[in-house]
Amino acid sequence: MIRASLRSLDEADRARLLAWRASPHVSAFMYSDHRISAEEHDRWFNGIAGDSRRRFWVIEADGAPVGLTNLADIDTTHGRATIARYIADPAVRGRGVGGFAEFKVLDHALLQMGLRKLWSEVLETNAVAWRLHMSHGFQREALFRGHVVKNGQPANVVGLGLLSEEWRMIRPVARQRLIDKGYVAEALDGPIPD
Ligand SMILES: CC(C)(COP(=O)(O)OP(=O)(O)OC[C@H]1O[C@@H](n2cnc3c(N)ncnc32)[C@H](O)[C@@H]1OP(=O)(O)O)[C@@H](O)C(=O)NCCC(=O)NCCS
């Protein structure tokens, strides 16, 4: 059984996140291919604090940091935000931690923060990621053809969306799936840092 949790970022994450983002195990799935410099990373990291449009959480498994999840473009006028995540260590993938993080952020955004909708963009080739969203109730709303240039080639991007009422309906199914994978009810139902 894996004990997973989400925590707020701290200063020690600055170097960790740059290393994770530069890792081929993560960068392969991101839009941009360029190598992120320390200066660019510092600007990004420093900008998180005090930015009400973005929230980040480090995903931990058995007490060790293993990935990052976030809400971005938080728009209170329209009640929506984008959601994303990665598990940096491929050895931790496929054990439910990504699903756990998805579950926790959906609860936080749609039930605690009161947003109406979450949406996400995923490379079409990244079927594990868009299927993970769909198993939590997201619907495929768009196919953006040739939307980004990845490895020098145009790549399609899938746009997915989830309404809060859809999450309320599918939440018990997603919760039971995680319980069947060994996640405990207290960890699933408890709050995450704001
Ligand atoms: C996408 C990602 C976050 C999923 O996290 P994870 O911990 O591996 O996912 P889980 O173990 O919770 O599995 C989620 C589902 O995907 C399935 N899955 C996981 N890895 C899989 C694989 N390699 N092949 C097929 N299915 C897979 C699981 O069976 C599970 O399905 P289920 O819920 O029906 O049982 C992770 O693979 C990752 O970090 N990928 C690289 C970064 C990335 O793509 N981020 C998203 C960019 S938009």
Side-chain angles (χ1 to χ4, degrees), residues 43-83:
R43 270 198 305 280
W44 174 82
F45 193 86
N46 294 341
I48 293 174
D51 184 347
S52 61
R53 290 177 59 86
R54 295 185 289 169
R55 307 232 176 126
F56 287 82
W57 297 270
V58 167
I59 305 165
E60 294 198 333
D62 293 332
V66 296
L68 184 71
T69 186
N70 77 297
L71 295 171
D73 299 317
I74 299 172
D75 182 330
T76 50
T77 304
H78 298 292
R80 62 173 148 75
T82 64
I83 178 172

Short mmCIF file of all heavy atoms in Angstrom, two decimals, residues 43-83:
data_model
loop_
_atom_site.label_atom_id
_atom_site.label_comp_id
_atom_site.label_asym_id
_atom_site.label_seq_id
_atom_site.Cartn_x
_atom_site.Cartn_y
_atom_site.Cartn_z
N ARG A 43 12.82 32.78 -11.90
CA ARG A 43 11.74 33.75 -12.16
C ARG A 43 10.38 33.07 -11.99
O ARG A 43 9.47 33.60 -11.37
CB ARG A 43 11.85 34.31 -13.59
CG ARG A 43 12.70 35.56 -13.71
CD ARG A 43 12.44 36.30 -15.01
NE ARG A 43 12.59 35.47 -16.20
CZ ARG A 43 13.76 35.17 -16.78
NH1 ARG A 43 14.88 35.66 -16.27
NH2 ARG A 43 13.81 34.41 -17.86
N TRP A 44 10.27 31.86 -12.55
CA TRP A 44 9.01 31.11 -12.46
C TRP A 44 8.70 30.75 -11.01
O TRP A 44 7.59 30.98 -10.53
CB TRP A 44 9.15 29.84 -13.33
CG TRP A 44 8.00 28.90 -13.21
CD1 TRP A 44 6.79 28.98 -13.87
CD2 TRP A 44 7.92 27.72 -12.38
NE1 TRP A 44 5.99 27.93 -13.49
CE2 TRP A 44 6.66 27.14 -12.59
CE3 TRP A 44 8.81 27.11 -11.50
CZ2 TRP A 44 6.25 25.99 -11.93
CZ3 TRP A 44 8.40 25.95 -10.85
CH2 TRP A 44 7.15 25.40 -11.06
N PHE A 45 9.71 30.23 -10.30
CA PHE A 45 9.49 29.78 -8.91
C PHE A 45 9.15 30.97 -8.02
O PHE A 45 8.22 30.91 -7.21
CB PHE A 45 10.75 29.06 -8.41
CG PHE A 45 10.52 28.29 -7.13
CD1 PHE A 45 10.04 26.98 -7.16
CD2 PHE A 45 10.78 28.88 -5.90
CE1 PHE A 45 9.82 26.28 -5.98
CE2 PHE A 45 10.55 28.17 -4.72
CZ PHE A 45 10.08 26.87 -4.76
N ASN A 46 9.88 32.09 -8.20
CA ASN A 46 9.62 33.28 -7.38
C ASN A 46 8.23 33.85 -7.65
O ASN A 46 7.63 34.48 -6.78
CB ASN A 46 10.66 34.37 -7.65
CG ASN A 46 12.04 33.94 -7.19
OD1 ASN A 46 12.17 33.03 -6.37
ND2 ASN A 46 13.08 34.58 -7.73
N GLY A 47 7.74 33.64 -8.86
CA GLY A 47 6.44 34.20 -9.23
C GLY A 47 5.25 33.45 -8.65
O GLY A 47 4.12 33.94 -8.67
N ILE A 48 5.49 32.24 -8.15
CA ILE A 48 4.36 31.44 -7.65
C ILE A 48 3.76 32.08 -6.41
O ILE A 48 2.54 32.20 -6.30
CB ILE A 48 4.84 29.99 -7.34
CG1 ILE A 48 5.23 29.27 -8.63
CG2 ILE A 48 3.75 29.23 -6.60
CD1 ILE A 48 5.83 27.91 -8.40
N ALA A 49 4.65 32.49 -5.48
CA ALA A 49 4.15 33.07 -4.22
C ALA A 49 3.37 34.34 -4.54
O ALA A 49 3.84 35.20 -5.27
CB ALA A 49 5.32 33.37 -3.29
N GLY A 50 2.18 34.43 -4.02
CA GLY A 50 1.40 35.65 -4.20
C GLY A 50 0.65 35.71 -5.53
O GLY A 50 0.02 36.72 -5.81
N ASP A 51 0.74 34.67 -6.35
CA ASP A 51 -0.02 34.66 -7.60
C ASP A 51 -1.32 33.89 -7.38
O ASP A 51 -1.32 32.66 -7.28
CB ASP A 51 0.81 33.99 -8.71
CG ASP A 51 0.11 34.05 -10.06
OD1 ASP A 51 -1.11 34.37 -10.09
OD2 ASP A 51 0.75 33.74 -11.07
N SER A 52 -2.43 34.62 -7.30
CA SER A 52 -3.71 33.97 -6.96
C SER A 52 -4.25 33.13 -8.12
O SER A 52 -5.23 32.41 -7.95
CB SER A 52 -4.73 35.04 -6.56
OG SER A 52 -4.94 35.90 -7.66
N ARG A 53 -3.63 33.22 -9.28
CA ARG A 53 -4.13 32.44 -10.42
C ARG A 53 -3.48 31.06 -10.53
O ARG A 53 -3.81 30.29 -11.42
CB ARG A 53 -3.91 33.23 -11.73
CG ARG A 53 -4.83 34.45 -11.83
CD ARG A 53 -4.54 35.24 -13.08
NE ARG A 53 -4.70 34.46 -14.30
CZ ARG A 53 -5.85 34.30 -14.95
NH1 ARG A 53 -6.95 34.86 -14.50
NH2 ARG A 53 -5.90 33.59 -16.06
N ARG A 54 -2.51 30.78 -9.63
CA ARG A 54 -1.81 29.49 -9.72
C ARG A 54 -1.66 28.87 -8.33
O ARG A 54 -1.34 29.59 -7.39
CB ARG A 54 -0.41 29.66 -10.30
CG ARG A 54 -0.39 30.13 -11.72
CD ARG A 54 1.02 30.16 -12.24
NE ARG A 54 1.82 31.23 -11.66
CZ ARG A 54 3.14 31.33 -11.78
NH1 ARG A 54 3.82 30.42 -12.46
NH2 ARG A 54 3.79 32.34 -11.25
N ARG A 55 -1.85 27.56 -8.24
CA ARG A 55 -1.55 26.84 -6.98
C ARG A 55 -0.78 25.58 -7.34
O ARG A 55 -1.11 24.90 -8.30
CB ARG A 55 -2.84 26.40 -6.29
CG ARG A 55 -3.79 27.55 -6.10
CD ARG A 55 -4.27 27.69 -4.69
NE ARG A 55 -5.10 28.88 -4.66
CZ ARG A 55 -6.34 28.95 -4.22
NH1 ARG A 55 -6.90 27.88 -3.70
NH2 ARG A 55 -7.00 30.07 -4.25
N PHE A 56 0.23 25.31 -6.54
CA PHE A 56 1.07 24.13 -6.78
C PHE A 56 1.13 23.27 -5.52
O PHE A 56 1.16 23.80 -4.41
CB PHE A 56 2.50 24.55 -7.15
CG PHE A 56 2.61 25.13 -8.53
CD1 PHE A 56 2.30 26.45 -8.77
CD2 PHE A 56 3.01 24.33 -9.58
CE1 PHE A 56 2.40 26.98 -10.05
CE2 PHE A 56 3.11 24.85 -10.87
CZ PHE A 56 2.80 26.18 -11.10
N TRP A 57 1.20 21.98 -5.73
CA TRP A 57 1.41 21.04 -4.62
C TRP A 57 2.45 20.00 -5.04
O TRP A 57 2.41 19.52 -6.19
CB TRP A 57 0.12 20.30 -4.27
CG TRP A 57 -1.00 21.15 -3.78
CD1 TRP A 57 -1.27 21.48 -2.48
CD2 TRP A 57 -2.03 21.78 -4.56
NE1 TRP A 57 -2.39 22.27 -2.41
CE2 TRP A 57 -2.88 22.47 -3.67
CE3 TRP A 57 -2.33 21.83 -5.93
CZ2 TRP A 57 -3.99 23.20 -4.10
CZ3 TRP A 57 -3.43 22.55 -6.35
CH2 TRP A 57 -4.24 23.23 -5.45
N VAL A 58 3.33 19.67 -4.10
CA VAL A 58 4.24 18.54 -4.31
C VAL A 58 3.51 17.26 -3.92
O VAL A 58 2.84 17.22 -2.87
CB VAL A 58 5.54 18.72 -3.49
CG1 VAL A 58 6.34 17.43 -3.46
CG2 VAL A 58 6.37 19.84 -4.08
N ILE A 59 3.61 16.26 -4.77
CA ILE A 59 3.00 14.96 -4.49
C ILE A 59 4.04 14.12 -3.76
O ILE A 59 5.19 14.02 -4.22
CB ILE A 59 2.59 14.26 -5.81
CG1 ILE A 59 1.68 15.16 -6.65
CG2 ILE A 59 1.94 12.90 -5.52
CD1 ILE A 59 1.53 14.69 -8.11
N GLU A 60 3.64 13.56 -2.62
CA GLU A 60 4.57 12.69 -1.89
C GLU A 60 4.02 11.27 -1.86
O GLU A 60 2.79 11.06 -1.79
CB GLU A 60 4.77 13.21 -0.46
CG GLU A 60 5.49 14.55 -0.45
CD GLU A 60 6.10 14.91 0.90
OE1 GLU A 60 5.59 14.44 1.94
OE2 GLU A 60 7.09 15.65 0.90
N ALA A 61 4.93 10.31 -1.92
CA ALA A 61 4.56 8.90 -1.79
C ALA A 61 5.48 8.29 -0.74
O ALA A 61 6.71 8.43 -0.85
CB ALA A 61 4.71 8.16 -3.12
N ASP A 62 4.85 7.68 0.25
CA ASP A 62 5.61 7.12 1.38
C ASP A 62 6.61 8.13 1.94
O ASP A 62 7.76 7.80 2.22
CB ASP A 62 6.30 5.81 0.96
CG ASP A 62 5.28 4.72 0.67
OD1 ASP A 62 4.18 4.77 1.26
OD2 ASP A 62 5.56 3.84 -0.15
N GLY A 63 6.16 9.38 2.02
CA GLY A 63 6.95 10.43 2.66
C GLY A 63 8.00 11.08 1.79
O GLY A 63 8.68 12.02 2.23
N ALA A 64 8.15 10.63 0.55
CA ALA A 64 9.17 11.21 -0.33
C ALA A 64 8.51 11.98 -1.47
O ALA A 64 7.49 11.54 -2.01
CB ALA A 64 10.05 10.10 -0.91
N PRO A 65 9.08 13.15 -1.83
CA PRO A 65 8.51 13.89 -2.96
C PRO A 65 8.70 13.14 -4.27
O PRO A 65 9.81 12.69 -4.57
CB PRO A 65 9.31 15.20 -2.96
CG PRO A 65 10.48 15.00 -2.08
CD PRO A 65 10.25 13.80 -1.23
N VAL A 66 7.61 12.99 -5.03
CA VAL A 66 7.70 12.22 -6.28
C VAL A 66 7.13 12.97 -7.49
O VAL A 66 7.31 12.52 -8.62
CB VAL A 66 6.99 10.85 -6.17
CG1 VAL A 66 7.67 9.97 -5.13
CG2 VAL A 66 5.50 11.00 -5.86
N GLY A 67 6.44 14.08 -7.27
CA GLY A 67 5.87 14.75 -8.42
C GLY A 67 5.23 16.07 -8.05
O GLY A 67 5.30 16.52 -6.90
N LEU A 68 4.65 16.69 -9.05
CA LEU A 68 4.09 18.03 -8.89
C LEU A 68 2.71 18.07 -9.54
O LEU A 68 2.50 17.49 -10.61
CB LEU A 68 4.99 19.05 -9.60
CG LEU A 68 4.61 20.52 -9.48
CD1 LEU A 68 4.87 21.01 -8.04
CD2 LEU A 68 5.40 21.38 -10.47
N THR A 69 1.77 18.76 -8.88
CA THR A 69 0.46 18.98 -9.49
C THR A 69 0.05 20.43 -9.28
O THR A 69 0.55 21.08 -8.35
CB THR A 69 -0.60 18.00 -8.96
OG1 THR A 69 -1.81 18.18 -9.70
CG2 THR A 69 -0.89 18.20 -7.48
N ASN A 70 -0.81 20.93 -10.16
CA ASN A 70 -1.16 22.34 -10.02
C ASN A 70 -2.49 22.68 -10.66
O ASN A 70 -3.03 21.93 -11.49
CB ASN A 70 -0.07 23.22 -10.64
CG ASN A 70 -0.15 23.24 -12.15
OD1 ASN A 70 0.02 22.22 -12.80
ND2 ASN A 70 -0.44 24.40 -12.72
N LEU A 71 -3.01 23.81 -10.22
CA LEU A 71 -4.09 24.50 -10.90
C LEU A 71 -3.49 25.77 -11.47
O LEU A 71 -2.65 26.41 -10.82
CB LEU A 71 -5.21 24.88 -9.92
CG LEU A 71 -5.96 23.72 -9.25
CD1 LEU A 71 -6.86 24.27 -8.15
CD2 LEU A 71 -6.76 22.94 -10.28
N ALA A 72 -3.86 26.13 -12.68
CA ALA A 72 -3.37 27.37 -13.27
C ALA A 72 -4.52 28.08 -13.97
O ALA A 72 -5.60 27.51 -14.13
CB ALA A 72 -2.24 27.09 -14.25
N ASP A 73 -4.26 29.33 -14.36
CA ASP A 73 -5.30 30.13 -15.03
C ASP A 73 -6.59 30.11 -14.22
O ASP A 73 -7.68 30.01 -14.79
CB ASP A 73 -5.55 29.62 -16.46
CG ASP A 73 -4.31 29.71 -17.32
OD1 ASP A 73 -3.63 30.74 -17.25
OD2 ASP A 73 -4.01 28.74 -18.03
N ILE A 74 -6.46 30.21 -12.89
CA ILE A 74 -7.65 30.21 -12.04
C ILE A 74 -8.43 31.50 -12.34
O ILE A 74 -7.89 32.60 -12.20
CB ILE A 74 -7.27 30.14 -10.55
CG1 ILE A 74 -6.51 28.84 -10.26
CG2 ILE A 74 -8.52 30.25 -9.68
CD1 ILE A 74 -5.90 28.76 -8.86
N ASP A 75 -9.65 31.31 -12.80
CA ASP A 75 -10.46 32.44 -13.28
C ASP A 75 -11.76 32.43 -12.49
O ASP A 75 -12.64 31.60 -12.73
CB ASP A 75 -10.70 32.24 -14.79
CG ASP A 75 -11.49 33.37 -15.40
OD1 ASP A 75 -12.31 33.98 -14.69
OD2 ASP A 75 -11.31 33.61 -16.61
N THR A 76 -11.86 33.34 -11.53
CA THR A 76 -13.04 33.32 -10.67
C THR A 76 -14.26 33.91 -11.37
O THR A 76 -15.39 33.63 -10.98
CB THR A 76 -12.76 34.08 -9.35
OG1 THR A 76 -12.21 35.35 -9.65
CG2 THR A 76 -11.79 33.32 -8.46
N THR A 77 -14.05 34.70 -12.42
CA THR A 77 -15.20 35.22 -13.16
C THR A 77 -15.96 34.09 -13.83
O THR A 77 -17.18 33.99 -13.74
CB THR A 77 -14.73 36.22 -14.25
OG1 THR A 77 -13.97 37.24 -13.61
CG2 THR A 77 -15.90 36.81 -15.00
N HIS A 78 -15.20 33.21 -14.48
CA HIS A 78 -15.84 32.10 -15.18
C HIS A 78 -15.85 30.83 -14.35
O HIS A 78 -16.42 29.82 -14.77
CB HIS A 78 -15.13 31.86 -16.53
CG HIS A 78 -15.22 33.06 -17.43
ND1 HIS A 78 -16.41 33.48 -17.99
CD2 HIS A 78 -14.28 33.95 -17.83
CE1 HIS A 78 -16.20 34.57 -18.70
NE2 HIS A 78 -14.92 34.88 -18.63
N GLY A 79 -15.21 30.85 -13.21
CA GLY A 79 -15.23 29.69 -12.31
C GLY A 79 -14.48 28.50 -12.86
O GLY A 79 -14.90 27.35 -12.69
N ARG A 80 -13.35 28.75 -13.52
CA ARG A 80 -12.62 27.60 -14.07
C ARG A 80 -11.11 27.75 -13.90
O ARG A 80 -10.61 28.83 -13.57
CB ARG A 80 -12.96 27.40 -15.54
CG ARG A 80 -12.60 28.53 -16.46
CD ARG A 80 -12.84 28.12 -17.91
NE ARG A 80 -13.24 29.21 -18.76
CZ ARG A 80 -12.45 30.16 -19.23
NH1 ARG A 80 -11.18 30.17 -18.93
NH2 ARG A 80 -12.90 31.11 -20.01
N ALA A 81 -10.43 26.62 -14.11
CA ALA A 81 -8.97 26.59 -14.01
C ALA A 81 -8.47 25.40 -14.81
O ALA A 81 -9.25 24.50 -15.14
CB ALA A 81 -8.53 26.44 -12.55
N THR A 82 -7.19 25.41 -15.12
CA THR A 82 -6.59 24.23 -15.74
C THR A 82 -5.92 23.38 -14.66
O THR A 82 -5.54 23.88 -13.60
CB THR A 82 -5.53 24.60 -16.80
OG1 THR A 82 -4.43 25.25 -16.15
CG2 THR A 82 -6.10 25.50 -17.86
N ILE A 83 -5.80 22.10 -14.95
CA ILE A 83 -5.18 21.16 -14.01
C ILE A 83 -4.09 20.39 -14.75
O ILE A 83 -4.25 20.06 -15.93
CB ILE A 83 -6.24 20.18 -13.43
CG1 ILE A 83 -5.59 19.17 -12.48
CG2 ILE A 83 -7.04 19.49 -14.52
CD1 ILE A 83 -6.60 18.30 -11.73
#
